[in-house]
Amino acid sequence: MTPAPLLFHQLIVVRLTTALSNFVVPNRLGHVFAAPCDVRLSDFDVVQPDVLFVSAERKAILTRELVDAGPDLCVEVLSPSSVKRDTALKSALYAKHRVREFWLADPDAKTITVLVRRGEGWSEYRAFGAEDTLDSPLLPGLSILLGPVFEEI
């Protein structure tokens, strides 16, 4: 059995989910979910991103049980037990299944790298540090102050 993520990991997930929801919901842009939430990318590939966003235009991929295709945005908060899976396996799956944007949050470095899909892979949009305000090509107008996101317990 995989151990539960560290509390700091969970705080980052909650804070990013809240920040995204506070932007997405009032603007009626779609839906934000946090793990555990199954995303079926294929008959053989089911993942659980830490945080995900599905745009209102693609709400048909939301079923009662799961998200039945690649979301518009997936966020993975790295942990020692998942870093290889998140940066290699999941990254490749997300690109293959047409996720539009992918964020890698590193609790140790206190950074979030925003990647955008280009062709069959990823292109780095920008790496944001704790002193920065994150913005997203996918969600114009989104502004997340990262200092509070990475504030430790």
Side-chain angles (χ1 to χ4, degrees):
M1 186 174 231
T2 305
L6 299 175
L7 288 180
F8 187 45
H9 175 282
Q10 293 303 88
L11 272 177
I12 293 168
V13 169
V14 168
R15 291 168 178 165
L16 288 174
T17 302
T18 301
L20 279 167
S21 293
N22 286 344
F23 180 76
V24 165
V25 173
N27 290 298
R28 299 175 185 243
L29 299 175
H31 300 281
V32 177
F33 300 94
C37 177
D38 283 343
V39 174
R40 181 170 48 207
L41 299 172
S42 73
D43 289 341
F44 307 102
D45 299 306
V46 177
V47 294
Q48 291 188 346
D50 288 313
V51 183
L52 64 99
F53 162 71
V54 175
S55 63
E57 296 81 26
R58 297 183 66 233
K59 70 179 182 181
I61 69 171
L62 302 176
T63 73
R64 189 168 184 201
E65 297 83 25
L66 51 75
V67 179
D68 200 17
D72 294 275
L73 167 68
C74 289
V75 180
E76 294 294 348
V77 179
L78 302 176
S79 62
S81 64
S82 73
V83 68
K84 285 184 181 179
R85 183 174 61 247
D86 292 343
T87 60
L89 177 64
K90 282 185 168 182
S91 175
L93 284 171
Y94 294 157
K96 178 181 177 183
H97 293 281
R98 313 212 42 89
V99 171
R100 294 171 57 194
E101 197 167 290
F102 179 34
W103 299 359
L104 283 168
D106 185 333
D108 294 332
K110 296 186 178 180
T111 61
I112 297 178
T113 302
V114 174
L115 305 167
V116 293
R117 191 168 41 77
R118 296 275 189 259
E120 299 299 314
W122 296 109
S123 175
E124 183 176 316
Y125 167 69
R126 184 164 170 216
F128 296 90
E131 68 286 348
D132 295 324
T133 300
L134 182 145
D135 66 273
S136 163
L138 178 66
L139 296 164
L142 175 71
S143 179
I144 302 175
L145 294 170
L146 293 185
V149 169
F150 288 115
E151 187 176 304
E152 302 233 20
I153 298 171

